[in-house]
Amino acid sequence: MTKDLTILLAGPRGFCAGVDRAIHIVERALEKFGKPVYVRHEIVHNKFVVDSLREKGAVFVDELDQVPDNVPVIFSAHGVPKSVPAEADRRSLTYVDATCPLVSKVHRAAERHFDRDHPVVLIGHEGHPEVIGTMGQLPDGAVVLVEDTKQAKTVELPRDVPLGLVTQTTLSVDDTKDVIAILKDRYDNLELPKKEDICYATTNRQTAVKLIAPKSDMVMVIGAPNSSNSKRLVEVARLNGCERSMLVQRASDINFDDLDGVATLGITAGASAPELLVEEVVEACRLRYNVTVKFETFTKEDVIFKLPASLSD
């Protein structure tokens, strides 16, 4: 006898405006310049997206020294240190910056603090491309990275000048609030951002997961293992009533034995995961269960970021 399974589809989920823009930048560049178009780092953290663009003619590399002369190159949505476009200019490479506008906003905020001689504190994960890009907007040593509450309790910062605070855009909203609270308690000279740096899409997806987690026997987050915002969604689900939460890249990665005892399955997707992969997982469930799908939508998103002017003609 086929078992019943209720799927709670969280909304919003999947692509955000910054990811959508970055993918369209690569596609438009291929139309404008022809094959190949080089991309420094994964344009977004999703294997399906990267493989799809590779099939269309994109070539993904780690650094600019792997890019031949006289071919266009695109910088990923996570942002790059200033040294990267400087090197591209030195080599007279045609380049397009696909940095998410919300990440660029964090870059400009860090620069404004630095220009006023305010030490800059960045909350983020060491080694993440976005953190490398943000720290690379300023000279070496100008940014102090704080990764978690433990570091927030021990980091030594100046007290005689204002401290500028910026954050990685894809962090857990709750964890970041805890780090900020500790820093603010220790340093009353800390200047908080006028608007929190964590992006609207990260906030919305985490809020939607908080709504479905208490109702779910398991929460499945569709996303890549190197996607910060996807991994945070798993953590948020576990902290909000659903310990049985996991990250999967696509339907073929699912071990359906893990769904033993699951009557209600919550599903969401990280900001770099296409809706096609969500549909694929739902269909894989339909092949095994009597599925009822319920949509749990927290809010609607209507944010659109324009393509760079160099590609809009």
Side-chain angles (χ1 to χ4, degrees):
M1 182 176 172
T2 307
K3 293 182 180 178
D4 294 335
L5 179 68
T6 299
I7 292 178
L8 303 182
L9 271 183
R13 64 182 176 276
F15 278 180
C16 63
V19 165
D20 198 49
R21 173 180 179 268
I23 293 167
H24 280 116
I25 284 174
V26 179
E27 293 173 336
R28 180 70 186 96
L30 284 164
E31 291 173 6
K32 180 172 182 175
F33 302 116
K35 303 177 186 179
V37 167
Y38 280 69
V39 184
R40 182 186 179 274
H41 290 181
E42 292 185 345
I43 188 69
V44 297
H45 282 159
N46 187 274
K47 184 178 185 298
F48 179 86
V49 170
V50 169
D51 287 347
S52 298
L53 292 172
R54 187 179 284 116
E55 289 175 6
K56 295 177 181 179
V59 178
F60 293 88
V61 297
D62 292 328
E63 297 298 345
L64 283 189
D65 59 13
Q66 297 169 268
V67 178
D69 293 334
N70 303 315
V71 296
V73 61
I74 296 170
F75 305 147
S76 81
H78 308 102
V80 296
K82 282 189 173 179
S83 58
V84 174
E87 173 62 11
D89 285 334
R90 187 192 69 78
R91 292 181 54 193
S92 299
L93 293 175
T94 297
Y95 66 87
V96 183
D97 190 351
T99 299
C100 173
L102 298 180
V103 175
S104 295
K105 180 175 78 77
V106 175
H107 291 180
R108 302 294 79 79
E111 288 180 319
R112 284 194 299 272
H113 286 301
F114 182 75
D115 290 343
R116 290 183 290 172
D117 295 323
H118 297 174
V120 179
V121 181
L122 168 62
I123 301 174
H125 294 141
E126 186 174 8
H128 189 278
E130 185 184 328
V131 167
I132 292 170
T134 298
M135 296 182 76
Q137 302 305 302
L138 303 177
D140 287 348
V143 180
V144 177
L145 180 64
V146 177
E147 294 193 80
D148 50 32
T149 54
K150 183 179 179 181
Q151 289 186 2
K153 292 174 183 175
T154 58
V155 64
E156 290 300 326
L157 301 167
R159 298 180 183 275
D160 56 343
V161 291
L163 301 173
L165 178 69
V166 293
T167 72
Q168 182 181 333
T169 64
T170 55
L171 298 177
S172 160
V173 177
D174 294 330
D175 286 351
T176 305
K177 284 180 181 176
D178 291 341
V179 174
I180 291 174
I182 292 168
L183 289 173
K184 188 63 181 172
D185 185 59
R186 294 186 63 211
Y187 296 95
D188 56 12
N189 54 329
L190 186 72
E191 288 193 351
L192 302 182
K194 288 192 173 114
K195 189 173 182 184
E196 198 166 12
D197 293 332
I198 294 174
C199 83
Y200 77 94
T202 298
T203 301
N204 287 347
R205 279 149 191 74
Q206 290 181 16
T207 302
V209 165
K210 289 178 183 180
L211 295 178
I212 67 167
K215 307 173 188 176
S216 303
D217 301 309
M218 173 184 284
V219 170
M220 196 172 286
V221 179
I222 301 165
N226 59 341
S227 166
S228 175
N229 76 86
S230 298
K231 290 191 289 186
R232 300 294 83 74
L233 290 173
V234 176
E235 293 173 3
V236 169
R238 288 174 178 165
L239 290 169
N240 286 272
C242 190
E243 181 60 34
R244 291 179 71 181
S245 299
M246 66 173 68
L247 180 68
V248 298
Q249 296 203 64
R250 60 185 312 171
S252 58
D253 297 330
I254 299 171
N255 179 356
F256 281 93
D257 290 341
D258 292 338
L259 272 68
D260 252 5
V262 173
T264 302
L265 175 65
I267 295 179
T268 189
S272 50
E275 183 65 11
L276 178 67
L277 298 184
V278 176
E279 294 168 357
E280 182 185 274
V281 168
V282 173
E283 184 56 33
C285 290
R286 289 191 191 279
L287 294 174
R288 294 164 174 84
Y289 310 99
N290 293 321
V291 170
T292 301
V293 176
K294 295 182 179 180
F295 295 89
E296 300 273 338
T297 302
F298 158 65
T299 188
K300 299 285 188 181
E301 293 177 344
D302 56 5
V303 178
I304 298 174
F305 294 137
K306 293 180 180 178
L307 297 184
S310 61
L311 294 178
S312 58
D313 55 4

